[in-house]
Every structure is written in structure tokens, then in C-alpha cells.
């Protein structure tokens, strides 16, 4: 497998997932400043011209949650997703989608101090944090004792916040980030 990567990009999330899977892969560095993500060769892999992208033989993948879901299926022994039909599968899939459909844009609005009109499909960051806190419950992970790709998707957003020096204002979420960062394969701060 080849991961198209830049250390200052969302490709760090896909890398975390690959490492949790124990996968063997090669990283291909894409220089975003040189706009290597817009070359015809790269656009043939990800037509959106964005990182991350993953090549696995003839399979090409883009969009971080899709990459994580694919890897969870490819490496079932890593136990990073409840299998189809298992209890928690529906909530797992929902949290995977929630991470980029609501959490990420809400966090972006908050960082850029932009208003969040509901019509755009996501809630303001405080409301989204309430949802995540509720879903986390007493944890330790979103699916209880089982660490999953949903923790990688959701947790990486809060890890980034910490990296940018922004406190969530939520002790439970901060403790969750500490727990995630203690994992040997975790995304580095
Ligand atoms: N929703 C996409 C977002 C991808 C994205 O925005 N990637 C950024 C890097 S973090 C990028 O490649 N930007 C370069 C560009 O848009 O030219 C995903 O989760 O994969």
C-alpha cells in the first residue's frame, strides 16, 4: 500500500490508522506548497487533489473516513471496528461520518470565529462537543472498552486542537485526548 502523505495534513490520521492496523506501507511525500496534490498523476488517484489518499493495488481511496473504514475491513485482526451485524456497528458508522460531517467543520468555524448557520448541516462547536461527550460517556473509548477507528477520526480533531494550543474546556475530553496520546501508535503532537 502507498499512503500519499504530508506531516502537516489529515494524512497523519490515515497514518495513525495504518499503524494501529500493523500494516506494511510506503509513504509518498506530497509537497502541498509546491501543489504536488494538483498534478495529473495525483489527481488520477484523488480527483479532489487533497491528502490523504491511499493506493492498495488497484484500489484507490480518498476521504479520511473511507480510508479508515477500508483499513478496518482489511485488517479485521486489529479489531478497530465492530463487524457488520455486531452491537455498536450502527453507532460506530455514525460516529465515523459525524467526525467529518459535523465535528470537523464545527471546529473549523470555531477556530476561524465564524458563525455556524444550521442550514449548512452541522451544529456549532459547543453543541458538537456536547454530542461527543455524551457518546463518550465514561469511556474509556467511544465504544466503551474497544478502541476503534471512530476514536482515530474523532480523537484526532481534539488532538489537533491541543496542538494548536486550544483547550476544549471539557475535562472529560481532555482526559480522552491524554488516553489516545498514550497509545504507542498515536498521531504525534
Ligand atoms: N475531507 C477531506 C479533506 C482533505 C483535505 O482538505 N486535505 C488537505 C490537507 S489536510 C489538502 O490536501 N489540502 C490541499 C488542497 O486542497 O489543495 C478528507 O478528510 O480527506
Amino acid at each position: 500500500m502507498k499512503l500519499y502523505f504530508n506531516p502537516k495534513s489529515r494524512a497523519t490520521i490515515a497514518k495513525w490508522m495504518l499503524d494501529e492496523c500493523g500494516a506494511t506501507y510506503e509513504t509518498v511525500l506530497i509537497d502541498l506548497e509546491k501543489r504536488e496534490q494538483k498534478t495529473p498523476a495525483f489527481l488520477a488517484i484523488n480527483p479532489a487533489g487533497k491528502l490523504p489518499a491511499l493506493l492498495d493495488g488497484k484500489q484507490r481511496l480518498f476521504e479520511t473516513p473511507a480510508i479508515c473504514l477500508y483499513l478496518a475491513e482489511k485488517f479485521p485482526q486489529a479489531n478497530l471496528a465492530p463487524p457488520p451485524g455486531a452491537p455498536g456497528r450502527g453507532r460506530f458508522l455514525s460516529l465515523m461520518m459525524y467526525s467529518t460531517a459535523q465535528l470537523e467543520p464545527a471546529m473549523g468555524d470555531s477556530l476561524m470565529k465564524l458563525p455556524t448557520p444550521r442550514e449548512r448541516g452541522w451544529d456549532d462547536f459547543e453543541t458538537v462537543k456536547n454530542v461527543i461527550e455524551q457518546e463518550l460517556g465514561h469511556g474509556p473509548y467511544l465504544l466503551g472498552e474497544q478502541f476503534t477507528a471512530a476514536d482515530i477520526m474523532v480523537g484526532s480533531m481534539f488532538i489537533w486542537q491541543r496542538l494548536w494550543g486550544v483547550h476544549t474546556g471539557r475535562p472529560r475530553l481532555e482526559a480522552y485526548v491524554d488516553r489516545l496520546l498514550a497509545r504507542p501508535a498515536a498521531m504525534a503532537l
Side-chain angles (χ1 to χ4, degrees), residues 15-91:
K15 184 175 184 305
W16 182 8
M17 181 69 188
L18 281 158
D19 292 339
E20 292 280 359
C21 289
T24 303
Y25 61 96
E26 177 191 330
T27 49
V28 180
L29 189 68
I30 296 291
D31 189 328
L32 296 171
E33 310 234 311
K34 289 189 186 152
R35 298 187 62 73
E36 287 176 355
Q37 74 278 23
K38 306 296 181 197
T39 60
F42 186 76
L43 289 172
I45 300 162
N46 181 359
K50 292 181 189 296
L51 294 177
L54 184 77
L55 265 190
D56 183 17
K58 289 192 174 154
Q59 299 274 6
R60 62 182 174 90
L61 291 116
F62 50 93
E63 291 298 321
T64 320
I67 293 172
C68 290
L69 286 170
Y70 177 85
L71 291 170
E73 270 178 21
K74 187 176 168 88
F75 295 95
Q77 68 280 13
N79 206 22
L80 293 170
R89 174 74 177 176
R91 206 163 72 78

Side-chain angles (χ1 to χ4, degrees), residues 6 8 10 23-25 63 94 99 105 148 155:
N6 184 290
K8 289 189 180 159
R10 290 165 175 85
T24 303
Y25 61 96
E63 291 298 321
S94 304
S99 68
T148 68

